[in-house]
Amino acid sequence: MRPILVRYPEGPVESAVEADALDAALNVNAVLVRGPLFGVAAQDAGEAPRWRVVVAVEASCPQHARDSLNSLLWFRAKDEAQSTAERRALLAAVTRLESQRVDELTVLGIRYRVVRAEEYAGLGPDGIEQPRPTDPEPAAPNWDRGARDARIDDGLILDPEAPVTPLQAAEQLALRDLDYAGARFPEDVRRNSQKALTTHPDVMLLPPVFRIVEKDGPGWKVGSGAHATAHDTRKTLDFSLTWFEPRQRGLIPWDADDRTLDARTVAAEGTDPAAGELAEYVQAADRLRTERANRIEVGGTVYQICRARRLLRWGPDGPEGPRPSDTNNHPPSQLHPYLDDDGNVHYDHENEKA
């Protein structure tokens, strides 16, 4: 195990973040482990032990991360290669990724690895942890559905030797022995989880992500993908409540494909028979905008913004990759048109590679 270097919080903002982390730690009585997430990290020559995230650690399946690496290298060959030799090297890696489950490869001196993190959330007396007061929020929220405030893991550097704050160190120590031990997990999952405690004994905490969780019965279920900020998650929930759910529940017809036709516009007109029921969705969505609410109830369903955390295991050779028991949803395949050595894209090409 590497020693953990602890430093004082820097300035009043980080001190407030640290105080929030302490409050959260004192309020947690259980940890809910959702399962693994996957992304891609790269290590430049001479940069060990540091890695940089080039594909956000948010995919639910290792093959999704491999596919993202496939696309990253294909577009690099198409748009950035400075010579035929560079393009050939990149396309050779793409060819491997199209037919093999490759979790690590080196291209043009850069080492790429599919990495695995564990997603979990704190559970306290008030339920699943919500965003903290010091989590970043835009000063002027942008509710444009096409805009995003931030990208997950954008520019993130993984440095196992970087000093951490006292609460970060405490969480790392507390989670070093986290593994799958329940009888509901298959035996190979438990075995690989136990093995990882030895092969990758250290842990690194990644920035939190935010999701919608919903409950219309005894348990919670995930209602959205991961977002980098709580605001972007509220924006997704706002869209779901005003556009998707009304269609899902038959209050607005699916063939009304105008993106601007939603619960707000129909309720404002007041002539549609469903206007009264749609107004309930509008009121709930408006709370997201006016109150920055993190928990609302509408139509018999409770929606909450969940603050999810991610733990990356680390060994002597760097971050952990996929485990043999991790499930792949689909096989490798060709994702892009044929790109020749001169950088020309052939959309109608079928057998030229062979």
Side-chain angles (χ1 to χ4, degrees), residues 145 214 223 236-252 254 261-263 281 303:
R145 288 171 179 168
E214 17 180 288
T236 296
L237 181 54
D238 177 273
F239 174 76
S240 177
L241 292 176
T242 58
W243 196 95
F244 181 78
E245 283 296 329
R247 285 166 170 78
Q248 181 76 8
R249 295 174 182 260
L251 303 175
I252 295 177
W254 280 108
L261 183 65
D262 61 11
Y281 284 88
Y303 301 89

Side-chain angles (χ1 to χ4, degrees), residues 17 55 75 79 97 101 120-123 128 141 145 150-151 163 199 279 292 337:
V17 171
V55 173
F75 279 105
D79 301 327
L97 288 163
R101 298 196 189 279
Y120 63 100
L123 182 68
I128 300 174
R145 288 171 179 168
R151 294 168 54 193
T199 60
R292 289 185 173 175

Side-chain angles (χ1 to χ4, degrees), residues 319-339:
E320 183 185 17
R323 298 173 185 171
S325 53
D326 289 327
T327 302
N328 292 285
N329 295 338
H330 60 279
S333 63
Q334 182 177 346
L335 304 177
H336 301 284
Y338 175 69
L339 181 68

Side-chain angles (χ1 to χ4, degrees), residues 7 86 103 148 208 245:
R7 61 171 176 80
E86 282 192 9
D103 290 328
R148 285 290 178 267
E245 283 296 329

Side-chain angles (χ1 to χ4, degrees), residues 137-149 212 229-242 259 262 264 284-294 296 305:
E137 295 272 12
N142 181 354
W143 291 95
D144 180 357
R145 288 171 179 168
R148 285 290 178 267
D149 290 324
I212 301 166
T229 67
H231 172 68
D232 278 344
T233 317
R234 293 189 200 101
K235 190 186 302 184
T236 296
L237 181 54
D238 177 273
F239 174 76
S240 177
L241 292 176
T242 58
R259 194 172 176 84
D262 61 11
R264 285 190 172 91
D286 285 347
R287 287 190 57 209
L288 299 171
R289 300 192 176 208
T290 59
E291 304 174 22
R292 289 185 173 175
N294 292 319
I296 56 176
I305 309 301

Side-chain angles (χ1 to χ4, degrees), residues 174-246:
L175 294 173
R176 265 183 169 168
D177 294 331
L178 179 69
D179 68 333
Y180 296 123
R184 66 187 179 93
F185 296 108
E187 194 276 333
D188 61 334
V189 171
R190 298 197 304 270
R191 183 176 63 252
N192 288 326
S193 181
Q194 276 287 324
K195 182 179 178 181
L197 299 183
T198 301
T199 60
H200 297 79
D202 297 313
V203 298
M204 178 179 294
L205 304 180
L206 303 184
V209 293
F210 302 86
R211 295 183 185 272
I212 301 166
V213 294
E214 17 180 288
K215 181 171 68 172
D216 55 8
W220 292 92
K221 60 183 179 181
V222 175
S224 79
H227 297 77
T229 67
H231 172 68
D232 278 344
T233 317
R234 293 189 200 101
K235 190 186 302 184
T236 296
L237 181 54
D238 177 273
F239 174 76
S240 177
L241 292 176
T242 58
W243 196 95
F244 181 78
E245 283 296 329

